[in-house]
Amino acid sequence: MALLAHQQGAKLDLDDINYVALRAYGAARGNRVSFNELNRQTGVVAVQGDLMPVLVSFGDPLDPTTARLVAGDHVEAVLGDGYALRGLTAETVPNGLWPIDFGGALGEPVTRGIETKLPWLAAPGDPAATALKIAGLPLGGAIVAREAFARK
């Protein structure tokens, strides 16, 4: 799964919903793309290097202690022989009449349905922090670990 986060050295930054697309279109154009310009971007763009979100795999999705960091250049170390990350792309698509969309007045979370795939997210305590720690991802500051897995 791709977390809504980027690792910048010893810091984990939680991304806004459009972070990947904003940065990818900016890199493709050679200059910064503002949020207001994002809806005018067209086509598919490559997401490479530092723009790649953090990838995590779970040996058992029902158990946060089985989290493993998937390094983009060493995917086979976690997923097994024959697996590789060939690329990641971003493409903007119409999202209805935001914020009044299919998800209601505030839109729908990009991580819709994640609790069915990772039911421990709703468990007491902070299982999301456990998963990030087990995967070797830095925690600190005002980060709410759950937001790396589920946020708007």
Side-chain angles (χ1 to χ4, degrees), residues 108-143:
E108 189 164 347
V110 69
T111 54
R112 174 187 61 227
I114 193 70
E115 287 86 1
T116 60
K117 293 180 180 6
L118 303 175
W120 46 262
L121 277 174
D126 198 354
T130 299
L132 294 176
K133 183 177 178 183
I134 295 291
L137 294 168
L139 291 174
I143 288 181

Side-chain angles (χ1 to χ4, degrees), residues 61-133:
L62 302 177
D63 184 356
T65 65
T66 64
R68 301 169 295 183
L69 182 64
V70 179
D73 54 347
H74 293 96
V75 171
E76 71 284 349
V78 173
L79 301 180
D81 290 339
Y83 285 91
L85 181 61
R86 293 185 197 197
L88 180 67
T89 59
E91 179 178 14
T92 59
V93 295
N95 66 346
L97 301 171
W98 187 89
I100 302 170
D101 207 338
F102 293 109
L106 298 176
E108 189 164 347
V110 69
T111 54
R112 174 187 61 227
I114 193 70
E115 287 86 1
T116 60
K117 293 180 180 6
L118 303 175
W120 46 262
L121 277 174
D126 198 354
T130 299
L132 294 176
K133 183 177 178 183

Side-chain angles (χ1 to χ4, degrees), residues 5-19:
H6 281 79
Q7 189 170 355
Q8 301 290 326
K11 183 179 175 200
L12 188 65
D13 288 326
L14 298 181
D15 300 331
D16 292 329
I17 190 170
N18 292 307
Y19 177 91

